[in-house]
Amino acid sequence: MFVAVLFATVFCACNGNDMNRGDEALRIGDYKRAAKNFSKVLDKDPANRDARYGLAIAYYAIAEDKERLRVSTLAFWERTVREFKILSVVDTSEKSKPMYSTSLFYLARAMLAENAQAKVLPLLDQSIKLDPENYFSYNLKALILAGQGNTEEAKKIYAYIVTREPKFASAYVNLGNLYWNVHDYESAWDIWSMGHEALPQDAVLAKWTRVAEDSLKAMVYSGKL
C-alpha cells in the first residue's frame, strides 16, 4: 500500500514538473522543448486537457515559424490539426475553436501549395463551421469555387465577406477580378473603388481602381460607354 501511494506521489510530481516546463518553454518561445514536455505529460495521461492544449499551441507556433521561412509546411500543419482534433474530444469548450479553424485554413493552403488540385473544400467548410468569422477560409473557398467555374457562388461569398468585414482587402480585389475578367469594367470599378475607400492605404486596391478608371474613361472617349 505504501509503495502504491509513493508511486502515485512521484508520478504526480513528475507530471506537474513536465507540465510546468512545457508552460515555461511555451512562454519564452522554445516551442520544440514545449512540445517535448507536454508530450511527456500526455504519455502518462493522454486526456490531460491542459497538456493537449499546450501541445496544440506549440505545434501551431512551430508551423507558423515554418510559414515565415517560406518552406513546405504541410507536415507541420497536419500535425497541428491532428492535435487540435484530439483536443476537441477532451475539451468541449469554445476556447480552442478559432485556432483550430485557422489551422485548418493553413492546412488547406499548404495542401494546395503541394497540389493545386487538392480537395480542400471540406477542410474549409469545417474551418468556417468552427469559426464563422474566419474570413480567410471564406476567401480561399471562393477562390477555389471561382476556379471551378462557380463564379456566382464565389461572388456571393466575397460580397458576404466585405459586408461582415469591410477591411478585408483580398475580398474586394478578388470580387473585382471576377467582373473584370468578363469585361464588366463598371462593376469592377465599383467594387475596387469601394475597397479603396475603405482601405485607402492598400496599394493593390489603389492600383486596380486607377486601372478601372482609365479603362472607363477610354471607353467614354471612344463612344463605347
Side-chain angles (χ1 to χ4, degrees), residues 12-122:
C12 291
C14 293
N15 200 38
N17 288 338
D18 289 332
M19 189 71 203
N20 291 338
R21 281 191 286 266
D23 284 337
E24 185 64 12
L26 197 63
R27 184 185 69 79
I28 64 174
D30 190 352
Y31 302 122
K32 288 185 178 179
R33 184 163 281 107
K36 181 178 179 180
N37 281 283
F38 290 131
S39 294
K40 288 180 181 178
V41 177
L42 293 168
D43 285 341
K44 304 180 182 96
D45 181 11
N48 186 306
R49 183 191 63 183
D50 293 339
R52 185 67 66 179
Y53 183 74
L55 184 60
I57 296 298
Y59 278 123
Y60 185 102
I62 291 169
E64 272 198 322
D65 283 346
K66 297 298 181 182
E67 285 279 339
R68 285 188 280 270
L69 293 173
R70 299 188 181 279
V71 298
S72 175
T73 59
L74 180 57
F76 299 97
W77 288 116
E78 285 177 335
R79 183 59 189 268
T80 303
V81 166
R82 175 178 174 271
E83 293 304 327
F84 274 112
K85 182 178 180 179
I86 297 171
L87 178 63
S88 70
V89 176
V90 299
D91 182 10
T92 57
S93 72
E94 305 292 307
K95 181 180 179 181
S96 63
K97 283 187 174 181
M99 292 191 74
Y100 187 7
S101 172
T102 302
S103 299
L104 286 164
F105 162 75
Y106 278 121
L107 175 58
R109 198 174 71 169
M111 289 173 65
L112 290 171
E114 299 280 338
N115 174 13
Q117 304 304 316
K119 308 297 183 185
V120 301
L121 286 178

Side-chain angles (χ1 to χ4, degrees), residues 185-202:
Y185 303 124
E186 287 184 88
S187 295
W189 177 82
D190 284 339
I191 298 300
W192 288 331
S193 63
M194 187 188 307
H196 181 50
E197 183 176 347
L199 295 155
Q201 303 306 316
D202 189 279

